[in-house]
Amino acid sequence: MLADGRSFQGHSLGAEGTTLGEAVFTTGMTGYQETMTDPSYHRQIVVATAPQIGNTGWNDEDDESRDRGIWVAGLVIRDLSARVSSWRASRSLDEEMKRQGIVGIRGVDTRTVVRHLRDKGSVAAGIFSGPEALRPVEELVDVVAGQDPMAGADLSAQVSTAEPYTVEPTGEHRYTVVAFDMGIKTNTPRNFAARGVRTVVVPSTATWADVEQYRPDGVFVSNGPGDPATADSMVAVVREVLGKKIPFFGICFGNQILGRALGMETYKMKFGHRGINVPVLNVTTGKIDITSQNHGFALKGKAGETFDTDFGPARVTHVCLNDDVVEGVALESGLAYSVQYHPEAAAGPHDASPLFDQFIELMAQHGAQK
């Protein structure tokens, strides 16, 4: 049920009951487990454009949430695979959703749902099964429309770690990075660890005083849900990091935070970017990457534009080729940069993984200068 009165009928998937959230669509043809366990999808009902979901089942290795399993508010699909076909699977998608109490719906004409969301934008929605589904449509619309909007939602504290924790490097320790957990995916510290980085993951509410005790070689701000316009304290911390000339790297929510720290504004997109096939142009090099994305907010700006900041000149470095949305910003000094997409590629292509190597090189150069 959508808040604008449009409704779709199907069969119960996962747990029986009611769930509310913002209806969004993802264009990925694979990686539903990584999508559903990504904290960035908190309070969102995900509509899959791929017609069949569940064919690879569910395993115990691919969750992208460290402390909790599924984060999506609900799942809408067309066909549920009748058979699980993966040697890595330990159970089915339906079994896992029931185990975690996640309400979904199958047998829906998702093509029509996606076309509606494409035209109308992401809207408040609800999935109802069991006795609740028998209530009059007017009552269900009122329930859906009565939920809090995503614009203005401060959600990072709801998905962030409560206490700091450390992910050690897999080989020789080269650098220490403090990562602000705005909804971090487990594959991000894993990418750092593979490059000799000790990652100290801290809560989204951590202050610079909390961070400086670790004497970081670099600071990282992760992906996460909610409206970046509410993250004033995180913006203030990043401004301190930039003022102290410490190497900085941000992705997704972290891109919006860096942009705000540099004086840019954010806005809520009509239906956002969600999928693992989004083309992005690096306006500096002319190189195009196919990227994994999940965001409903973005920075205001134009490809290649330069602007003055309190920390020196900055530039819009990346842009989406589908709609010209800003996909990256950086200080021209090279000391701070961010992108709107997910270089950890879980799930998704690996085109953008060199961004982690770029951060290693930046910390090496900065260390040599010191």
Side-chain angles (χ1 to χ4, degrees):
M1 176 64 64
L2 301 179
D4 58 16
R6 191 75 184 271
S7 64
F8 302 86
Q9 294 186 354
H11 302 281
S12 177
L13 170 65
E16 183 180 287
T18 297
T19 188
L20 302 175
E22 181 186 49
V24 301
F25 63 87
T26 175
T27 58
M29 294 183 67
T30 186
Y32 59 81
Q33 179 170 342
E34 291 91 337
T35 292
M36 295 175 70
T37 57
D38 179 353
S40 297
Y41 280 104
H42 178 42
R43 277 188 50 188
Q44 294 180 332
I45 294 176
V46 174
V47 183
T49 61
Q52 187 178 71
I53 300 294
N55 57 316
T56 55
W58 198 275
N59 63 60
D60 294 318
E61 293 81 39
D62 290 345
D63 281 9
E64 284 303 313
S65 174
R66 176 176 179 268
D67 299 321
R68 172 175 164 173
I70 297 174
W71 276 105
V72 298
L75 181 66
V76 181
I77 66 173
R78 179 164 183 169
D79 295 324
L80 178 66
S81 179
R83 175 184 296 178
V84 173
S85 181
S86 172
W87 65 270
R88 299 177 67 235
S90 54
R91 52 201 171 277
S92 70
L93 169 62
D94 187 52
E95 289 171 334
E96 185 65 17
M97 290 178 66
K98 288 176 178 175
R99 189 178 75 86
Q100 296 196 36
I102 304 301
V103 177
I105 185 171
R106 61 183 176 86
V108 172
D109 183 357
T110 50
R111 181 177 174 85
T112 300
V113 179
V114 171
R115 286 170 66 92
H116 185 82
L117 297 178
R118 184 195 64 185
D119 294 340
K120 305 297 182 182
S122 300
V123 297
I127 302 174
F128 302 87
S129 57
E132 281 291 300
L134 301 178
R135 296 172 61 183
V137 169
E138 295 78 10
E139 292 185 14
L140 298 183
V141 171
D142 289 341
V143 171
V144 169
Q147 62 183 295
D148 293 334
M150 191 62 72
D154 185 3
L155 302 180
S156 58
Q158 298 178 22
V159 302
S160 181
T161 181
E163 299 292 337
Y165 64 91
T166 301
V167 178
E168 294 291 345
T170 54
E172 179 185 359
H173 172 234
R174 300 173 62 192
Y175 303 104
T176 296
V177 167
V178 169
F180 281 84
D181 178 8
M182 314 302 289
I184 198 168
K185 295 166 72 174
T186 56
N187 205 37
T188 299
R190 190 181 298 128
N191 268 277
F192 281 133
R195 292 165 170 80
V197 173
R198 174 182 294 123
T199 307
V200 182
V201 183
V202 298
S204 62
T205 55
T207 65
W208 173 247
D210 299 324
V211 170
E212 62 181 346
Q213 63 178 306
Y214 302 107
R215 304 187 65 182
D217 299 294
V219 172
F220 172 83
V221 175
S222 78
N223 57 289
D227 189 341
T230 66
D232 293 342
S233 59
M234 187 70 257
V235 171
V237 172
V238 171
R239 287 182 62 83
E240 288 195 64
V241 171
L242 299 180
K244 296 179 183 299
K245 299 187 183 302
I246 297 173
F248 176 88
F249 176 28
I251 65 171
C252 200
F253 200 88
N255 178 63
Q256 297 155 10
I257 294 300
L258 176 60
R260 283 198 58 199
L262 297 177
M264 301 177 73
E265 297 180 0
T266 60
Y267 66 98
K268 191 177 190 303
M269 302 170 69
K270 183 176 181 179
F271 46 75
H273 297 160
R274 295 174 182 88
I276 56 176
N277 51 3
V278 183
V280 171
L281 171 67
N282 183 328
V283 297
T284 303
T285 65
K287 184 175 181 290
I288 298 171
D289 288 337
I290 303 302
T291 67
S292 173
Q293 298 198 16
N294 168 25
H295 65 106
F297 294 85
L299 292 169
K300 293 181 180 179
K302 296 182 180 180
E305 72 172 336
T306 58
F307 53 97
D308 293 327
T309 77
D310 294 337
F311 314 99
R315 187 182 189 197
V316 173
T317 57
H318 296 74
V319 64
C320 180
L321 292 177
N322 288 338
D323 53 14
D324 295 328
V325 166
V326 173
E327 295 281 355
V329 294
L331 287 176
E332 291 198 342
S333 66
L335 201 59
Y337 67 98
S338 60
V339 293
Q340 189 59 64
Y341 45 94
H342 290 258
E344 81 287 345
H350 298 273
D351 294 24
S353 60
L355 286 167
F356 288 103
D357 300 313
Q358 180 180 333
F359 196 41
I360 302 300
E361 295 171 4
L362 175 58
M363 289 188 289
Q365 294 170 3
H366 185 67
Q369 291 172 359
K370 287 198 299 184

